[in-house]
C-alpha cells in the first residue's frame, strides 16, 4: 500500500467538520472531541478508499470559546512540525464554511483571512474550500450565497489555485470532493 494521504480539515466552529469526516469515513468523531495538550492528540480518522489510506486530521477551529486563536495557531504549527519531523506531510486542506450562514460575519471573515495567511499563496493549489449544509438551505439561496463568497471573499484564494466544492451531506458528495 502507498503512503497515507493526510488531509487537514479546518473551519469555524459549527462548519460541519465532524459531520463531513463522519459521513465520508463512516466514523463517529464527536464535534466536542477533547484535544490533549500535544499536537499528536488532534483527533484523526482514517479509512481506506481506492486502496489508499486516507487520514483526516480535525484541526482546531479559530474562534473557539475554550482555546485562544494564538493557542490554536500554535497547535496547528506544532502538529505540522511534528508531522514533518516524522516524514508526514499534508496532501491537502479542506476549509469548511457553512452555506447556511445568512452573511459573512466579521469572525468568519477573520477566520478565512487567517486560514489564507496560514496556508500561503503557494499552498493554495492543495486547498479545497468546501461549503457545507446545502441540505438545509433552498438551492437558489445557497447558490446566491456561493456566488457572493466566490466573488467577494474567496476570489484571491481561487485565483491562487484553491478550488471550491459543495458538500451536500452525503458520502458520495464527500468522496467526490476528495477524489
Amino acid at each position: 500500500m502507498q503512503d497515507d494521504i493526510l488531509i487537514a480539515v479546518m473551519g469555524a466552529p459549527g462548519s460541519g467538520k465532524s459531520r463531513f469526516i463522519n459521513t465520508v469515513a463512516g466514523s463517529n468523531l464527536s464535534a466536542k472531541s477533547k484535544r490533549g495538550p500535544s499536537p499528536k492528540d488532534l483527533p484523526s480518522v482514517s479509512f481506506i478508499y481506492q486502496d489508499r489510506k486516507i487520514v483526516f486530521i480535525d484541526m482546531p477551529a479559530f474562534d473557539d470559546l475554550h482555546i485562544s486563536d494564538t493557542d490554536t495557531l500554535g497547535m496547528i504549527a506544532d502538529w505540522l512540525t511534528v508531522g514533518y519531523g516524522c516524514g508526514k506531510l499534508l496532501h491537502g486542506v479542506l476549509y469548511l464554511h457553512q452555506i447556511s450562514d445568512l452573511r459573512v460575519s466579521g469572525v468568519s471573515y477573520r477566520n478565512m483571512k487567517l486560514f489564507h495567511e496560514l496556508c500561503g499563496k503557494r499552498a493554495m493549489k492543495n486547498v479545497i474550500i468546501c461549503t457545507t449544509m446545502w441540505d438545509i438551505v433552498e438551492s437558489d439561496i445557497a447558490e446566491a450565497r456561493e456566488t457572493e463568497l466566490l466573488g467577494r471573499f474567496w476570489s484571491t484564494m481561487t485565483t491562487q489555485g484553491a478550488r471550491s466544492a459543495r458538500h451536500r451531506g452525503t458520502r458520495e458528495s464527500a468522496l467526490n470532493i476528495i477524489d
Side-chain angles (χ1 to χ4, degrees), residues 34-44 75 79:
K34 298 289 182 201
R35 300 180 195 284
S38 165
K40 291 181 251 171
D41 296 332
L42 292 179
S44 66
M75 286 177 74
W79 189 93

Side-chain angles (χ1 to χ4, degrees), residues 20-163:
F20 179 92
I21 292 169
N22 290 337
T23 299
V24 72
S27 59
N28 60 356
L29 182 68
S30 168
K32 297 185 184 324
S33 294
K34 298 289 182 201
R35 300 180 195 284
S38 165
K40 291 181 251 171
D41 296 332
L42 292 179
S44 66
V45 172
S46 62
F47 71 106
I48 304 299
Y49 177 63
Q50 296 182 347
D51 296 324
R52 300 288 305 267
K53 184 177 179 183
I54 311 290
V55 181
F56 289 113
I57 301 95
D58 185 0
M59 294 292 186
F62 292 107
D63 195 42
D64 189 301
L65 288 174
H66 307 289
I67 306 170
S68 73
D69 286 351
T70 302
D71 289 343
T72 297
L73 190 57
M75 286 177 74
I76 294 169
D78 288 348
W79 189 93
L80 292 170
T81 301
V82 169
Y84 183 78
C86 297
K88 294 182 178 183
L89 303 177
L90 285 177
H91 288 76
V93 180
L94 288 176
Y95 181 83
L96 275 54
H97 179 86
Q98 53 189 36
I99 201 70
S100 58
D101 286 350
L102 297 176
R103 62 182 180 81
V104 175
S105 68
V107 170
S108 286
Y109 180 73
R110 196 183 92 229
N111 282 340
M112 284 184 256
K113 193 172 171 140
L114 276 170
F115 172 76
H116 183 228
E117 291 170 5
L118 176 68
C119 290
K121 182 179 180 178
R122 288 190 350 214
M124 280 297 126
K125 67 181 184 286
N126 299 317
V127 169
I128 299 173
I129 307 164
C130 179
T131 49
T132 60
M133 311 213 183
W134 283 81
D135 51 330
I136 64 170
V137 180
E138 292 181 35
S139 290
D140 57 333
I141 294 169
E143 288 171 9
R145 288 179 187 159
E146 179 186 50
T147 299
E148 179 184 23
L149 288 166
L150 286 166
R152 190 168 166 204
F153 297 101
W154 297 343
S155 62
T156 302
M157 290 188 283
T158 57
T159 300
Q160 294 171 349
R163 68 180 180 96

